């Protein structure tokens, strides 16, 4: 290889390493999943239950957190953060289907809440505004719908 060719090769290699390094460094660490405070105007009992649930969640007592957050949802059913917190506890306990439903409800109740919508906890469950996709069976056919009289 000629001396000029080596320099060109090293320059290209340096640019590639620089790009890879900058991409790797630019990825921020996932934000920790933490329960949210309820919005103002909800019942004081819901706020108290949320505070108790948050303490249990932070202590990794997820069953207790689930119970507190479930009660907070019952007290403040229109609160996006209440549903979000309940979903976090369900997610931590491995109840993914219930967690998905609660995350979606939280997002629907809090359409402008960047914390809920940008949460890494919500992302595995998709965009609540996106139309539902029909799942395909291994042979490529669609799953049969369950409608009236088909149960």
């Amino acid at each position: 290889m000629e001396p000029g060719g080596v320099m060109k090769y090293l320059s290209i290699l340096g640019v590639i390493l620089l790009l890879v390094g900058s991409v790797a460094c630019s990825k921020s660490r996932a934000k920790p999943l933490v329960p949210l405070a309820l919005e103002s105007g909800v019942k004081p009992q819901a706020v108290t239950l949320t505070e108790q649930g948050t303490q249990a969640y932070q202590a990794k007592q997820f069953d207790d957190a689930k119970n507190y957050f479930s009660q907070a949802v019952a007290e403040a059913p229109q609160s996006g953060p209440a549903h979000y917190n309940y979903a976090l506890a369900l997610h931590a306990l491995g109840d993914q289907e219930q967690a998905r439903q609660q995350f979606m409800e939280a997002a629907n109740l809090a359409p402008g809440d960047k914390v809920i919508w940008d949460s890494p906890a919500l992302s595995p469950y998709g965009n609540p505004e996106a139309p539902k996709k029909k799942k395909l069976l291994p042979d490529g056919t669609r799953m049969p719908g369950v409608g009236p009289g088909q149960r």
Side-chain angles (χ1 to χ4, degrees):
M1 210 183 259
E2 296 178 22
V6 172
M7 280 304 280
K8 185 176 181 180
Y9 173 77
L10 289 175
S11 296
I12 292 172
L13 183 61
V15 169
I16 291 171
L17 290 174
L18 183 63
L19 288 172
V20 169
S22 65
V23 168
C25 290
S26 70
K27 290 191 177 194
S28 61
R29 294 181 182 209
K31 296 177 185 174
L33 302 177
V34 294
L36 303 175
L38 300 188
E39 56 273 73
S40 61
V42 297
K43 295 180 184 177
Q45 179 66 16
V47 173
T48 300
L49 289 163
T50 297
E51 289 168 354
Q52 292 169 320
T54 298
Q55 289 174 353
Y57 186 89
Q58 290 172 339
K60 299 192 184 325
Q61 298 168 342
F62 300 121
D63 280 318
D64 291 341
K66 174 186 159 188
N67 292 333
Y68 286 123
F69 291 145
S70 172
Q71 293 174 57
V73 165
E75 291 291 324
Q78 297 303 310
S79 170
H83 285 274
Y84 178 84
N85 295 341
Y86 184 37
L88 285 180
L90 291 165
H91 179 75
L93 290 168
D95 187 348
Q96 302 312 318
E97 183 54 32
Q98 262 311 100
R100 183 189 69 76
Q101 292 172 8
Q102 292 299 316
F103 280 129
M104 293 299 185
E105 185 67 17
N108 287 330
L109 289 170
D113 190 319
K114 295 284 288 167
V115 174
I116 291 174
W117 277 77
D118 292 345
S119 169
L122 181 63
S123 62
Y125 302 104
N127 179 348
E129 293 179 338
K132 301 263 187 225
K133 293 181 182 175
K134 295 193 185 237
K135 295 184 179 178
L136 295 178
L137 295 173
D139 64 359
T141 60
R142 295 195 185 276
M143 293 180 67
V146 177
Q150 294 180 337
R151 291 182 185 206

